[in-house]
Coordinates of all heavy atoms in Angstrom, one line a residue:
S28 N 47.0 33.4 118.2 CA 47.4 33.0 116.9 C 47.0 31.6 116.6 O 46.5 31.3 115.5 CB 49.0 33.1 116.7 OG 49.4 34.4 116.8
G29 N 47.1 30.7 117.6 CA 46.7 29.3 117.4 C 45.2 29.1 117.2 O 44.8 28.3 116.3
M30 N 44.4 29.9 117.9 CA 43.0 29.7 117.8 C 42.4 30.5 116.6 O 41.5 30.0 115.9 CB 42.3 30.2 119.1 CG 40.8 30.0 119.1 SD 40.0 30.3 120.7 CE 40.5 28.8 121.6
F31 N 42.9 31.6 116.2 CA 42.3 32.5 115.2 C 43.2 32.8 114.0 O 42.8 33.5 113.1 CB 41.9 33.8 115.9 CG 40.9 33.7 117.0 CD1 41.4 33.9 118.3 CD2 39.6 33.3 116.8 CE1 40.5 33.7 119.4 CE2 38.7 33.1 117.8 CZ 39.2 33.4 119.1
D32 N 44.4 32.2 113.9 CA 45.2 32.3 112.8 C 45.5 33.8 112.4 O 45.3 34.2 111.3 CB 44.6 31.6 111.6 CG 45.6 31.4 110.4 OD1 46.8 31.4 110.7 OD2 45.2 31.4 109.3
V33 N 45.8 34.6 113.4 CA 46.1 36.0 113.2 C 47.7 36.2 113.2 O 48.4 35.3 113.7 CB 45.5 36.9 114.3 CG1 44.0 36.8 114.3 CG2 46.0 36.4 115.7
T34 N 48.1 37.3 112.7 CA 49.6 37.5 112.7 C 50.1 37.9 114.1 O 49.4 38.4 114.9 CB 49.9 38.7 111.7 OG1 49.3 39.9 112.2 CG2 49.5 38.4 110.3
H35 N 51.3 37.5 114.3 CA 51.9 37.6 115.7 C 51.9 39.0 116.2 O 51.5 39.3 117.3 CB 53.3 37.0 115.6 CG 54.1 37.0 116.9 ND1 53.6 36.4 118.0 CD2 55.3 37.4 117.2 CE1 54.4 36.5 119.0 NE2 55.5 37.1 118.5
G36 N 52.4 39.9 115.3 CA 52.5 41.3 115.7 C 51.2 42.0 116.1 O 51.0 42.7 117.1
A37 N 50.2 41.7 115.2 CA 48.8 42.2 115.5 C 48.2 41.6 116.8 O 47.6 42.3 117.6 CB 47.9 41.9 114.3
G38 N 48.5 40.3 117.0 CA 48.0 39.7 118.3 C 48.7 40.3 119.5 O 48.0 40.5 120.5
L39 N 50.0 40.6 119.4 CA 50.7 41.3 120.5 C 50.1 42.6 120.8 O 49.9 43.0 122.0 CB 52.2 41.4 120.2 CG 53.0 40.1 120.2 CD1 54.4 40.3 119.6 CD2 53.1 39.5 121.6
A40 N 49.8 43.4 119.8 CA 49.2 44.7 119.9 C 47.8 44.6 120.6 O 47.5 45.5 121.4 CB 49.1 45.4 118.6
A41 N 47.1 43.6 120.3 CA 45.8 43.4 120.9 C 45.8 43.0 122.3 O 44.9 43.3 123.1 CB 45.0 42.4 120.1
I42 N 46.8 42.3 122.8 CA 46.9 41.8 124.1 C 47.7 42.8 125.1 O 47.3 43.0 126.2 CB 47.7 40.5 124.2 CG1 46.7 39.4 123.7 CG2 48.2 40.1 125.5 CD1 45.6 39.1 124.6
W43 N 48.7 43.5 124.5 CA 49.6 44.2 125.4 C 48.9 45.3 126.3 O 49.2 45.3 127.5 CB 50.8 44.9 124.7 CG 51.7 45.6 125.6 CD1 52.7 45.0 126.3 CD2 51.7 47.0 126.0 NE1 53.3 45.9 127.1 CE2 52.7 47.1 126.9 CE3 50.8 48.0 125.7 CZ2 52.9 48.4 127.5 CZ3 51.1 49.3 126.3 CH2 52.1 49.4 127.2
P44 N 48.0 46.1 125.8 CA 47.4 47.1 126.6 C 46.7 46.5 127.9 O 46.8 47.1 129.0 CB 46.4 47.9 125.7 CG 47.0 47.6 124.3 CD 47.5 46.2 124.4
S45 N 46.0 45.4 127.7 CA 45.3 44.8 128.8 C 46.3 44.2 129.8 O 46.1 44.3 131.0 CB 44.3 43.7 128.3 OG 43.3 44.4 127.5
W46 N 47.3 43.5 129.3 CA 48.4 43.0 130.1 C 49.0 44.1 130.9 O 49.2 44.0 132.2 CB 49.4 42.3 129.3 CG 50.6 41.9 130.1 CD1 50.8 40.8 130.9 CD2 51.8 42.7 130.3 NE1 52.1 40.8 131.5 CE2 52.7 42.0 131.2 CE3 52.2 44.0 129.8 CZ2 53.9 42.5 131.6 CZ3 53.5 44.4 130.2 CH2 54.3 43.7 131.1
A47 N 49.3 45.2 130.3 CA 49.9 46.4 131.0 C 49.0 46.9 132.1 O 49.5 47.2 133.2 CB 50.2 47.5 129.9
R48 N 47.8 47.1 131.8 CA 46.9 47.6 132.9 C 46.8 46.6 134.0 O 46.7 47.0 135.2 CB 45.5 47.8 132.3 CG 45.4 49.1 131.4 CD 44.0 49.3 130.9 NE 43.9 50.6 130.1 CZ 44.1 50.7 128.8 NH1 44.2 49.6 128.1 NH2 44.0 51.9 128.2
Y49 N 46.8 45.3 133.7 CA 46.7 44.3 134.7 C 47.9 44.2 135.7 O 47.8 43.9 136.8 CB 46.5 42.9 134.1 CG 46.0 41.8 135.0 CD1 44.7 41.8 135.4 CD2 46.9 40.9 135.4 CE1 44.2 40.7 136.3 CE2 46.5 39.8 136.3 CZ 45.1 39.8 136.7 OH 44.7 38.8 137.5
V50 N 49.1 44.5 135.1 CA 50.3 44.2 135.9 C 51.1 45.5 136.3 O 52.1 45.4 137.0 CB 51.3 43.3 135.1 CG1 50.7 42.0 134.7 CG2 51.9 44.1 133.9
M51 N 50.6 46.7 135.9 CA 51.4 47.9 136.0 C 51.8 48.2 137.5 O 52.8 48.8 137.7 CB 50.8 49.1 135.4 CG 49.5 49.6 136.1 SD 48.9 51.1 135.2 CE 47.7 51.6 136.3
H52 N 51.0 47.8 138.4 CA 51.3 48.1 139.8 C 52.5 47.2 140.4 O 53.0 47.5 141.5 CB 50.1 48.0 140.7 CG 49.1 49.1 140.5 ND1 48.0 48.9 139.6 CD2 49.1 50.4 140.9 CE1 47.3 50.0 139.6 NE2 48.0 50.9 140.3
E53 N 52.9 46.2 139.6 CA 54.0 45.4 140.0 C 55.3 46.2 140.0 O 56.3 45.9 140.7 CB 54.1 44.2 139.2 CG 52.9 43.3 139.3 CD 52.7 42.7 140.7 OE1 53.7 42.3 141.3 OE2 51.5 42.6 141.1
N54 N 55.4 47.2 139.1 CA 56.5 48.2 139.0 C 56.0 49.4 138.4 O 56.3 49.7 137.2 CB 57.7 47.6 138.2 CG 58.9 48.4 138.3 OD1 58.9 49.6 138.8 ND2 60.1 47.9 137.9
L55 N 55.2 50.2 139.1 CA 54.5 51.4 138.6 C 55.6 52.4 138.1 O 55.3 53.0 137.1 CB 53.7 52.0 139.7 CG 52.8 53.2 139.3 CD1 51.8 52.7 138.2 CD2 52.0 53.7 140.5
S56 N 56.7 52.5 138.8 CA 57.7 53.5 138.3 C 58.2 53.2 136.9 O 58.6 54.1 136.2 CB 58.8 53.6 139.3 OG 59.5 52.4 139.4
R57 N 58.3 51.9 136.6 CA 58.7 51.5 135.2 C 57.7 51.9 134.2 O 58.1 52.4 133.1 CB 59.0 50.0 135.2 CG 59.5 49.4 133.8 CD 60.7 50.1 133.3 NE 61.8 50.1 134.2 CZ 63.0 49.5 133.9 NH1 63.2 48.9 132.8 NH2 64.0 49.6 134.7
F58 N 56.4 51.8 134.5 CA 55.4 52.2 133.6 C 55.4 53.7 133.4 O 55.1 54.3 132.4 CB 54.0 51.6 134.0 CG 53.9 50.2 133.5 CD1 54.3 49.2 134.4 CD2 53.3 49.9 132.3 CE1 54.1 47.8 134.0 CE2 53.2 48.6 131.9 CZ 53.6 47.5 132.8

């Protein structure tokens, strides 16, 4: 948001899938 002046919700949607793939093995059963 700070760099590209995008809306918060859209930015979260753009980041979450990659974050999820990166961390999912920390608690695979939760995913």
